[in-house]
Each structure stands twice: as structure tokens, then as C-alpha cells.
Amino acid sequence: MPGSVPEVRVRVMNSAPVQGDGEWVLYWMVAVRRTRFNFALQRAAFWASELGRPLLVLEALRCDYPWASDRLHRFILDGMAENRRAFGRAGVTYHPYVEPALGAGRGLLEALAARAGVVVTDDCPAFFLPRMVAAAAARVPVLVEAVDGNGLLPLRAADRAYPTAHGFRRFLQRELPRHWAEAPEADPLAKRSGPPAVPLPEEIFDRWPPAGSDLLMGDAAALAALPLDHAVKPAPLRGGSEAAGAGLSTFLSARLAGYAQGRNRIEGSAASGLSPYLHFGHLSAHEVAAAVLEREDWNPGRPSPKATGSRQGWWGASASAEAFLDQLITWRELGLNAAAHLPAYQDFETLPDWARATLLKHSADPRPHLYTLGELEAAATHDPLWNAAQLQLVREGTIHNYLRMLWGKKILEWTGHPREALEVMTELNDRFALDGRDPNSVAGIFWTLGRYDRPWGPERPIFGTVRFMSSQNTARKMDVTGYLRRFGPAGAADGR
Ligand SMILES: Cc1cc2nc3c(=O)[nH]c(=O)nc-3n(C[C@H](O)[C@H](O)[C@H](O)COP(=O)(O)OP(=O)(O)OC[C@H]3O[C@@H](n4cnc5c(N)ncnc54)[C@H](O)[C@@H]3O)c2cc1C
């Protein structure tokens, strides 16, 4: 459809009709929390001009989603403050609603949808979002479309979950060229026609008032008044698309060239640090990939080489750009692929047969060290490197990329059963990590238990043939002294 988005990205969520006499077109922003490179916003703007109705954007934040905390809220609120400015500049009504008390937001979506011609929302396959969107679509009297803005490859371009990165990469190399030209518009509101913004009806404004500037702009007391987990403090990293764009620019100019060699380095790591922005939808994977390829003078019209599934050489770019794109596209979208196509993708039972069998065979092996969730959360283990990684997670909401793997492997080793390890990893990662709850966290956590990997000999206690990692080896291979100093028990202070 001209001016709209690729059909494969649009999912019709109910059988209700378009209401030609609706007062507005509603975009219910739940995952892709940005105004640029946003397929769902592009689709909503298209409907608004088709129906000749104004566009109304609702970005709502509940207070009862799992692990709701000062940290997660603050990062999202930073983005909402920017979205308010950007929609204001574009002349679009934007309603940033932050639930002040449990259940206070109930009925808001229905009230706005009841007067809409069409509702467009984000199609995110993870966390509680699929259930929330499906339940809402069943309740409203108007067509609801969910639009997939997750990655470069539409979720429905694949018809199954891929068990290995190699297989997925081969599929991606065959499939991606036909989707490359169908990127989202940088500014979906630029060519918007149709009536100007409508003010939010008074009865809606009064019952569900927009978040105040104090809360959006960072007032600590306003955040403290919300019913959240206040023990998880705001992270030092600022949220929102502007901070994401600044992070991307710095990465491109200062670290991308050394990415292949330096991604895993602990001191002076070349990793991008972009995953929190990708997770909260403040940054588009399309935008990141295009920016990387532009620096490489890459020509999208060049003939694609054969899809071999090889990690290097497919893009015809530098080794570092290829390595980065492999993480950003293959690994990131492999996680999305599992979330979209593997039923119950967070269950232990979905591990590959060999991994489940070997872990269960060794589940009763004696554990030289056993820790409770509380001890692990408090970084109170015998292992200073692991403790430092856990303290980084608690203080900053991130863990150095390489250490994240070690962090997971040790939890497998130090808990009473692999199923318990899975629960503990999920709890700590999803509660403290800015990018937790993402399909990538499921992929990463399950990788430590054998998903996307192969058996490794020799067979060992606890791990069986699942890949083993040791802190001693890591400390031997990498310079960890500065890291241990920074995140030792007396290291940096909390929060920002
Ligand atoms: C135990 C464990 C837990 C993890 N939890 C998360 C999580 O909660 N959220 C999360 O986004 N990632 C998670 N990962 C994957 C990976 O560690 C992070 O994506 C990466 O650390 C993000 O840092 P970066 O943005 O600097 O990565 P970069 O190296 O700069 O990579 C760029 C982007 O590629 C993607 N990417 C990179 N590595 C991976 C990977 N191994 N799997 C999937 N995508 C990848 C991410 O979107 C990342 O932002 C986890 C890995 C492990 C082993």
C-alpha cells in the first residue's frame, strides 16, 4: 500500500471494522517508543490521512508490569519527555499517561479507542505485551492493527524458530535483500496531511491526566511517589532517542573500527552499549544498520553474495562492521525469532534435547558452592570477578558483554538445579538490567544453558557437556584489575 508499511509487518488483531466517522486515529505506543524510523507511527499517519482524521498518540506506562522500578520507569520517562517535544513540534496530540496508582489507567485505552477510526499499536513478541495487546483488541469496537517494527527482518518472514545462529544467518542472508528497501521512513510525520491536532477531550483529560513535567523531566520526588520498586535506583544512563542518537554517533566515530578486536575487551571495550535503547524502542535497528553501512560506503544495489551462513564476508564491509552487523542483526533477531515462533520460549523444556538431557543428568551433582538468590543479588559469593559483574548490574543496569556470559555460567554452577539457575538468572537480569526482559535476555540466558550452542567435551560435573567458563581463565585472558577496582565492594557510588 503506497505510503503505508509492508503488509508482512501488519497483523490484524480483531474483526472489528474501521469506523469512518471516528474522531481520530489512535496510535497506542507500547514498545517502539520513538517518533523516527517507526513503522507503526507511519501506519497510523497513513490511516489518519486516508480517513481525513487527526492523529492521537497514547504512550501509557503502567505501574504494575513485572519488575516495575525507578530504574525502568526513569529510562522510559526520559523518552516520554522527548516524545512530548517531538510530537508537539509536529502538531500531533500526544498523551503521556503514567499510572499514579495501581489500576488507575484502567479504561483509558477503551475510552480513546471507542472514539477512534482505527487503532494502531506495536507488535512486540515479548514480555507481557502480546497478552496485553490481544486482550485490548478483543475489547474495543474498532479495527486494531499491530505493526512489527522490531528488526530488519519482519517477524513473519520466517515461519519457524531457528535452533542455530548459523541456520538463521543463512536464512537471513537469503531473505534480507528483499526487505532491505522497505525500511521505515526517517520522519513518518513529515509528509502528514489531514486535520490539525485535536485537544484531548476534557472528560478524558480530567480522569486520566497526562504525566506532569516534574515527573517527565526527572524530579526524584515525583518518581518516589509512584508505587514502584524503589530499591532499584535509576541507572546512570539517560533514556530517550536523543541520548540513543548520541550513543550511536560516539560508537560510530570512536569504537566501530575496533569492534572486531575490541568487543570483548574489558578495559576500553568497543561494544556499542546500545542495547537498552534498542530494547525500549528509543533507537531503530534499521537506523543503526544504515548508519554503519553508510560509513562503509556500502551500496544497497550491489549483488548479494551466496547465502552460506558465514559470519564474515556477506555484507562486503570491513571486518568490524561485519562483526557488529552480525550481532545487531543475526543474534538480536534470532532472539526475536524465538520469541515470535517458539511456543513457551522461556521454558526450560525448550532447550535442545542434548542440553536438557546433560543438565538433568548432572542436576544432582554436588555443588562446591551453593548460593541463595539473596546472596547472589548481594554479590556475596567467594568470586570477586563475579561479584564485580553483579555489582555493575545492580549499580548501572548493565554488565560488561563478555562478563555477562560468565555471570550466567556461574549461576548455573552455584544453584541447586538448572531450573533454579534459569529462574535466578531471569530474576536478576530482568529486575536490574536496563535491557532485561528483552528477547535477547532470554536468548542470552538460554545460551548459557546450551541453546544455540553445541556439546563441548570433556563432560564435567554440573555442566555435563554444556560449555563451561571459569573466572580464572577470564582473569588470565583479560585485564580485570581496573574493573575489580571500579566494581569492588567499595567501588563507585549508586545511581546518578
Ligand atoms: C546471561 C546473558 C544475559 C543477557 N541478557 C540480555 C538482555 O537482557 N538484553 C539484551 O539485549 N541482551 C542480553 N544478552 C545478550 C548480549 O549480552 C547483549 O545484547 C549485549 O551485551 C549488549 O551490549 P551492547 O549493546 O554493547 O552490544 P554490542 O556488542 O554493541 O552489539 C550490538 C547489538 O547487537 C545485539 N546483540 C549483541 N550480542 C547479542 C547476543 N549475544 N544475543 C542477542 N543480541 C545480541 C544487541 O541488540 C546489541 O545491542 C545477554 C547475554 C547473556 C550471556
Side-chain angles (χ1 to χ4, degrees):
M1 237 182 285
S4 183
V5 307
E7 224 170 281
V8 64
R9 290 188 182 266
V10 180
R11 205 146 62 99
V12 173
M13 299 301 295
N14 60 6
S15 52
V18 172
Q19 301 288 1
D21 58 351
E23 293 172 50
W24 49 67
V25 168
L26 177 65
Y27 172 31
W28 180 28
M29 181 186 267
V30 298
V32 179
R33 296 175 179 272
R34 60 176 179 265
T35 55
R36 291 169 55 77
F37 298 97
N38 180 338
F39 274 128
L41 179 58
Q42 188 174 318
R43 179 72 175 175
F46 161 78
W47 271 118
S49 58
E50 279 288 290
L51 299 179
R53 293 286 182 273
L55 180 60
L56 195 156
V57 179
L58 167 67
E59 185 176 6
L61 188 53
R62 291 161 58 157
C63 59
D64 65 339
Y65 60 90
W67 299 289
S69 65
D70 287 7
R71 176 168 299 171
L72 304 185
H73 252 56
R74 184 66 263 151
F75 203 84
I76 297 170
L77 290 165
D78 288 344
M80 287 171 105
E82 275 176 28
N83 286 341
R84 186 173 66 167
R85 283 196 295 277
F87 282 117
R89 280 193 301 270
V92 168
T93 308
Y94 169 68
H95 188 44
Y97 178 72
V98 180
E99 217 179 25
L102 200 68
R106 221 167 277 149
L108 169 59
L109 175 73
E110 285 84 343
L112 292 174
R115 295 163 66 168
V118 176
V119 177
V120 177
T121 190
D122 303 312
D123 192 1
C124 170
F127 204 27
F128 65 93
L129 296 173
R131 281 193 312 278
M132 180 182 78
V133 167
R139 285 198 305 267
V140 303
V142 57
L143 174 69
V144 177
E145 289 183 343
V147 177
D148 165 13
N150 297 287
L152 278 83
L153 195 70
L155 292 176
R156 276 175 305 284
D159 58 3
R160 64 185 173 96
Y162 279 80
T164 65
H166 180 80
F168 183 65
R169 192 182 290 111
R170 224 167 60 184
F171 167 73
L172 213 136
Q173 291 174 350
R174 273 200 315 272
E175 191 68 20
L176 198 55
R178 86 181 64 162
H179 300 285
W180 185 254
E182 297 177 332
E185 290 166 12
D187 183 357
L189 300 176
K191 293 185 294 229
R192 204 173 54 88
S193 57
V198 272
L200 204 65
E202 212 174 304
E203 65 281 13
I204 293 184
F205 188 98
D206 290 346
R207 179 155 171 210
W208 296 283
S213 287
D214 51 350
L215 182 60
L216 293 184
M217 302 311 288
D219 182 72
L223 190 62
L226 300 178
L228 305 170
D229 178 356
H230 299 302
V232 182
K233 305 267 182 267
L237 196 68
R238 191 180 170 76
S241 296
E242 281 168 22
L248 174 60
S249 299
T250 309
F251 170 65
L252 292 174
S253 59
R255 299 201 294 279
L256 173 63
Y259 184 85
Q261 300 295 326
R263 176 184 188 231
N264 286 337
R265 213 178 286 135
I266 291 178
E267 289 306 326
S269 166
S272 70
L274 294 176
S275 70
Y277 299 113
L278 290 164
H279 169 66
F280 284 109
H282 293 159
L283 185 63
S284 146
H286 275 96
E287 182 181 4
V288 177
V292 167
L293 289 168
E294 197 184 305
R295 282 184 83 87
E296 298 278 316
D297 282 332
W298 186 78
N299 166 16
R302 88 196 212 295
S304 309
K306 211 161 159 269
T308 59
S310 164
R311 229 179 313 188
Q312 285 286 334
W314 190 74
W315 293 95
S318 67
S320 275
E322 297 249 353
F324 177 74
L325 292 172
D326 194 52
Q327 295 297 334
L328 177 76
I329 306 177
T330 309
W331 282 97
R332 178 170 180 273
E333 300 200 12
L334 184 59
L336 286 161
N337 167 264
H341 295 286
L342 194 62
Y345 79 114
Q346 306 211 48
D347 281 5
F348 182 81
E349 309 314 316
T350 61
L351 280 172
D353 292 347
W354 70 267
R356 208 174 52 245
T358 195
L359 289 173
L360 291 178
K361 179 177 160 196
H362 290 274
S363 61
D365 290 355
R367 269 68 176 156
H369 303 278
L370 260 185
Y371 296 109
T372 62
L373 173 63
E375 288 166 330
L376 292 167
E377 180 183 331
T381 80
H382 65 285
D383 181 334
L385 187 54
W386 191 92
N387 291 345
Q390 170 64 20
L391 281 178
Q392 185 185 14
L393 177 64
V394 170
R395 288 177 188 158
E396 300 192 344
T398 57
I399 304 188
H400 178 279
N401 213 20
Y402 185 84
L403 294 178
R404 205 167 194 176
M405 296 187 268
L406 180 72
W407 175 88
K409 292 285 183 187
K410 294 294 114 179
I411 293 178
L412 171 59
E413 195 175 330
W414 299 337
T415 45
H417 192 281
R419 281 200 177 85
E420 185 188 339
L422 173 59
E423 277 169 28
V424 169
M425 274 190 263
T426 305
E427 173 63 26
L428 294 178
N429 184 69
D430 289 3
R431 181 164 177 231
F432 290 105
L434 279 171
D435 64 5
R437 308 150 313 278
D438 195 271
N440 286 355
S441 51
V442 182
I445 287 168
F446 273 76
W447 175 86
T448 65
L449 302 173
R451 186 186 281 172
Y452 305 132
D453 209 356
R454 63 171 173 85
W456 293 78
E459 188 164 350
R460 296 170 183 270
I462 307 173
F463 286 78
T465 54
V466 165
R467 189 198 297 243
F468 174 78
M469 286 176 77
S470 85
S471 303
Q472 289 76 10
N473 261 344
T474 306
R476 242 194 323 272
K477 279 198 284 194
M478 313 221 178
D479 177 9
V480 296
T481 35
Y483 187 80
L484 287 174
R485 226 185 357 259
R486 269 199 313 286
F487 299 107
D494 282 9
R496 54 174 156 182

